[in-house]
Amino acid sequence: MGSTDATVLVTVTGRDKPGVTSVLLAALSRHAVSLLDVEQVVIRGQLTLGVLVSCPNDPEALQEELEEAMNTVGVHVDVEIGADPVGRASLSTHAVVVIGSPVSARAFSAVSRVLARQGANIDSIRGIADYPVTGLELLVTATNTGAGADAQLRTSLAEVAVAENVDVAIERAGLARRAKRLIVFDVDSTLIQGEVIEMLAARAGVEAEVRAVTEAAMRGEIDFAESLHQRVATLAGLDESVIDDVAENIQLTPGARTTIRTLRRLGFHCGVVSGGFRQVIDDLAHDLELDFVAANTLEIVDGKLTGRVLGEIIDREAKAIALRKFAAQVGVPMEQTVAVGDGANDIDMLNAAGLGIAFNAKPALREIADAALSHPYLDAVLFILGVTRHEVEAADAFDGMVRRVPLEELPRL
């Protein structure tokens, strides 16, 4: 850009149609301009296209030609001569995801006010989901980068989330956000609907007793290992065939299969870490093509449950250990891991992960999580990670068009 060049901001608005960008760039090229920045947004067929250029010739002549050219394609053009080019290459510092059903204008206004009070400027906004929830992603630049600034911003946004009945997640933008490569899920009330031990207890006629102990453990009121022993003891004498019956009737959480399928396409290693039981989980893990499973093992003697578990108990501490073990096995740094859970038993695991997501969680877990989801759709995890609903659907459609060629049909070299 020469010292005498004028900086010109061209903004085109109107109904999106083929040829608009071509006509605009043809007019710009006749004035030998240099492109400094380009941004385009289309919302419900309405186009906003901004182009920042350096003009070495008469900018007023450029303006006249642009107005004539864009009139031929039926769109409006605004030309600002002498636009400030400073900051065009700045990178956003944070990504904020807002999820709701719906996201009201009031809720979004409250989020934007918090960002403004914290000195964070909204650089861009895009829709990332329109069902089963509405998802919006904001890229922002925070000017307050002092000690504790991120925690303060996260706390303030969490308060808005509760007050406005939306989910709000924030994390650092840039490559680190897109570098996640391993994710582990809790199983009961996270990957699947309900608690397996309660399903087994229902067959034994002790469901109410077991549920009371489960809820106390999930709230963090009693030690998980002790609660597990108490609950499993009530199952003594139950026929092992009941395990298969429960396994066959497990219902995945809505969006679970989509979530795992999409994450695997992105190159994630996926696993489960559960206080539940291997005998129930293994078939599910095989069906979902999971890479890792850590869970407890029920003792069975002569076809009957003994009321005891075998080996090391997968409790709160063991869940975090399992996550670290899985990460080490596949060579993924802990900052590139994600953990998703719902109860106090998941606290250590979420704390250990690079990103901890509380899913319809008890207060004890929500308080320590990096993000909290309150809607019953597991694919909202994808939106937190920056994956859009459109990208999910496009990948599904492409996969459906690809013909898997049998080995015997491949050409011989």
Side-chain angles (χ1 to χ4, degrees), residues 168-332:
V168 184
I170 180 170
E171 59 178 319
R172 286 280 175 171
L175 290 176
R177 185 184 182 215
R178 300 194 296 274
K180 306 292 191 301
R181 283 297 173 266
L182 182 147
I183 187 167
V184 295
F185 296 89
D186 173 48
V187 176
D188 293 353
S189 298
T190 301
L191 191 66
I192 69 170
Q193 301 178 56
E195 301 282 326
V196 166
I197 197 165
E198 291 180 12
M199 300 174 197
L200 293 170
R203 271 54 170 200
V206 292
E207 185 178 10
E209 178 183 345
V210 166
R211 180 180 293 117
V213 178
T214 298
E215 291 176 351
M218 295 298 283
R219 292 191 299 266
E221 296 173 2
I222 60 175
D223 174 73
F224 177 82
E226 177 59 29
S227 76
L228 181 67
H229 288 304
Q230 288 182 24
R231 290 176 291 172
V232 171
T234 68
L235 305 179
L238 199 62
D239 193 273
E240 67 175 332
S241 63
V242 173
I243 294 176
D244 294 333
D245 178 52
V246 167
E248 290 175 1
N249 287 281
I250 281 177
Q251 297 293 317
L252 287 170
T253 298
R257 194 175 295 277
T258 296
T259 301
I260 298 295
R261 181 175 66 245
T262 302
L263 291 172
R264 289 184 62 81
R265 285 171 175 162
L266 291 171
F268 273 71
H269 301 280
C270 302
V272 291
V273 182
S274 174
F277 309 110
R278 291 287 309 237
Q279 288 98 327
V280 178
I281 294 172
D282 278 350
D283 285 346
L284 177 66
H286 178 74
D287 177 47
L288 295 176
E289 300 183 60
L290 299 180
D291 301 299
F292 311 105
V293 178
N296 295 300
T297 303
L298 291 165
E299 183 182 59
I300 300 173
V301 176
D302 297 329
K304 303 288 185 180
L305 275 66
T306 66
R308 295 185 294 270
V309 292
L310 297 173
E312 180 184 359
I313 298 297
I314 302 298
D315 58 8
R316 172 172 161 172
E317 181 180 4
K319 282 192 168 190
I321 292 172
L323 171 60
R324 293 189 179 95
K325 177 182 177 181
F326 294 159
Q329 286 178 357
V330 294
V332 174

Side-chain angles (χ1 to χ4, degrees), residues 53-106:
V53 303
S54 169
C55 180
N57 303 311
D58 182 4
E60 293 184 357
L62 172 62
Q63 179 176 359
E64 292 178 3
E65 179 164 351
L66 287 172
E67 291 173 350
E68 292 177 2
M70 303 320 294
N71 186 55
T72 66
V73 287
V75 295
H76 178 74
V77 62
D78 286 315
V79 179
E80 179 186 347
I81 299 172
D84 185 2
V86 176
R88 62 180 181 273
S90 63
L91 297 177
S92 301
T93 59
H94 295 77
V96 178
V97 176
V98 183
I99 296 173
S101 183
V103 176
S104 67
R106 171 177 162 172

